[in-house]
Amino acid sequence: CFSPTTENAILSGGHDHMIRLHGLQSGNMLKELRGHSSYVNSICYLFKKGKKRKLTNMVASASSDATIRIWNLTTSECLSVVKLQNRRPGDAISINRVVPLQDGRLLICDRSDTLDLLDVENPTVSLLKYKCPNPDEEFVSATYCMGYVYGATRERNIYCFHLETGILESNLKVEDGKEIIGLEHDPTRKILAAYTLKGPLVLFK
């Protein structure tokens, strides 16, 4: 994960359960964050609440141990550990992705039929939930762009929800044989990219 404000450092997470801050020029490890008990799947820098594009000194991490952790990057302290509530019995609880919004909120994707929007200052309470219209599907990735939340499922559907209401606006379909494993967006050109397990990038505009 690259910092939005500096080109001097990069965050990484991996199968050894660790989060590391590296110097880009030197390649040296600058910090190490310990606490997760399984794979670290996603990391992001966090923005201040109500102040667009104003970064905090905090980062969020998502793990296969079913937790989201909020860290103070300056001190390496874990500030809070979050577990999502009210999941269906038997849901896979690996958390695949954390996506920062520029107003201080945090979009969470775990392997269930629900995406959650959290307040970083009070992350134990879900502000809004985005429910998959088909309860037999589970989200594998999510992203945010221009007032809309996008959630991708194993069944090659990309559901588009209105950020503030949670209402389902549209459904994009990826052709057969291309299982979606991730979503990204380009906010400047309004392009949504789905990358697949066996195949090229699929672009939507």
Side-chain angles (χ1 to χ4, degrees):
C1 175
F2 290 94
S3 169
T5 59
T6 178
E7 299 179 354
N8 297 325
I10 185 171
L11 279 169
S12 68
H15 286 191
D16 63 357
H17 315 169
M18 308 294 283
I19 301 164
R20 295 181 175 90
L21 182 69
H22 305 268
L24 275 180
Q25 295 181 349
S26 67
N28 294 333
M29 186 181 71
L30 307 177
K31 287 181 182 292
E32 193 172 69
L33 309 180
R34 299 170 177 262
H36 284 297
S37 59
S38 188
Y39 305 155
V40 178
N41 299 319
S42 179
I43 315 167
C44 67
Y45 287 85
L46 298 177
F47 294 89
K48 287 187 178 179
K49 186 175 181 180
K51 296 183 181 296
K52 292 187 177 181
R53 300 300 299 177
K54 184 71 173 177
L55 279 176
T56 67
N57 64 340
M58 298 186 297
V59 297
S61 58
S63 172
S64 294
D65 66 9
T67 67
I68 304 137
R69 287 179 178 258
I70 309 297
W71 308 84
N72 183 316
L73 195 55
T74 303
T75 65
S76 302
E77 177 188 3
C78 180
L79 303 175
S80 59
V81 180
V82 182
K83 285 194 174 184
L84 299 180
Q85 303 297 319
N86 302 320
R87 289 297 189 249
R88 299 174 304 184
D91 267 345
I93 53 177
S94 174
I95 300 177
N96 290 358
R97 191 157 194 213
V98 282
V99 182
L101 274 64
Q102 296 174 13
D103 60 5
R105 293 178 292 179
L106 190 63
L107 179 66
I108 308 298
C109 175
D110 68 347
R111 301 190 79 92
S112 74
D113 64 346
T114 305
L115 303 174
D116 284 80
L117 189 65
L118 304 183
D119 183 343
V120 171
E121 294 182 357
N122 185 20
T124 59
V125 178
S126 180
L127 300 174
L128 195 61
K129 296 179 182 292
Y130 308 91
K131 294 284 291 184
C132 182
N134 184 349
D136 294 326
E137 296 184 47
E138 63 178 26
F139 289 111
V140 295
S141 189
T143 191
Y144 161 78
C145 184
M146 307 294 291
Y148 293 94
V149 168
Y150 296 88
T153 70
R154 284 181 176 274
E155 289 73 21
R156 305 183 309 280
N157 289 309
I158 302 175
Y159 294 105
C160 173
F161 302 90
H162 191 279
L163 172 67
E164 301 300 345
T165 65
I167 294 173
L168 179 65
E169 298 281 345
S170 62
N171 177 19
L172 307 172
K173 188 75 174 182
V174 174
E175 64 185 84
D176 289 349
K178 295 181 179 179
E179 181 181 336
I180 302 173
I181 58 174
L183 288 177
E184 292 293 345
H185 72 280
D186 182 337
T188 59
R189 291 182 288 179
K190 300 180 181 179
I191 293 175
L192 179 69
Y195 46 101
T196 59
L197 188 62
K198 296 181 179 179
L201 281 174
V202 180
L203 301 179
F204 299 91
K205 188 170 183 179

